[in-house]
Amino acid sequence: MSFARELIERGDYEEAVTAATEAIDAGKGGPEPWFDRGTAHELLENYVEAAADLERAITENVASKEMDPFQIDDAYFTVLVQAATHAKEAGRISDAVAFLARYDARLPNGHHKEDAALWTSRMRGETTTLLDKTTAM
């Protein structure tokens, strides 16, 4: 387990970003430091930075195959949904849709392809969910 991962598990997210950045700057290859930094950014609600780091983790993992691709895929999709939700709540529907479009562009055979399409429809207001119905009451 990386030092950044240990910091994440302790709840020291800012320190985890620093540790992962130091590992990246020191030339630590592979997806792990990018994944760790992306995870820490997500927990700090820095969704743009988290998405960028997870995109790099995806790229690094294609070459090294060090991590379970589904783990990165799932984390990436989760961050994009969070970023899209945050953008929608701020009234930036086009940004919300753009975040979700990144999933299909980066992972055209990803495990969450259908989910991304559904979430895109939700962001546009074309599909309602039970949650949407209960919050409107």
Side-chain angles (χ1 to χ4, degrees):
M1 177 184 306
S2 72
F3 181 56
R5 175 63 45 194
E6 289 177 20
L7 291 167
I8 290 167
E9 289 187 5
R10 289 196 322 231
D12 297 328
Y13 309 134
E14 290 180 16
E15 291 86 354
V17 168
T18 300
T21 300
E22 288 171 356
I24 292 164
D25 291 346
K28 168 87 169 91
E32 186 178 41
W34 297 100
F35 183 83
D36 290 345
R37 191 169 76 175
T39 300
H41 274 304
E42 174 192 7
L43 293 165
L44 290 167
E45 298 182 5
N46 300 331
Y47 302 123
V48 173
E49 294 88 346
D53 283 344
L54 291 171
E55 287 168 353
R56 181 65 184 265
I58 290 165
T59 300
E60 293 288 326
N61 202 51
V62 168
S64 70
K65 300 186 182 355
E66 292 176 19
M67 292 182 68
D68 176 0
F70 181 74
Q71 182 182 15
I72 303 171
D73 179 321
D74 198 47
Y76 182 55
F77 179 70
T78 299
V79 163
L80 293 177
V81 168
Q82 290 171 323
T85 300
H86 183 71
K88 182 181 179 188
E89 289 171 354
R92 300 185 335 263
I93 304 301
S94 62
D95 288 347
V97 171
F99 276 117
L100 292 165
R102 288 168 66 171
Y103 183 82
D104 193 43
R106 180 63 61 167
L107 294 169
N109 298 315
H111 295 278
H112 295 286
K113 192 173 178 82
E114 290 179 17
D115 299 324
L118 180 60
W119 274 98
T120 298
S121 179
R122 287 179 182 154
M123 293 300 137
R124 289 182 176 141
E126 300 165 350
T127 304
T128 57
T129 66
L130 182 58
L131 180 60
D132 295 331
K133 291 175 186 175
T134 58
T135 58
M137 295 179 158

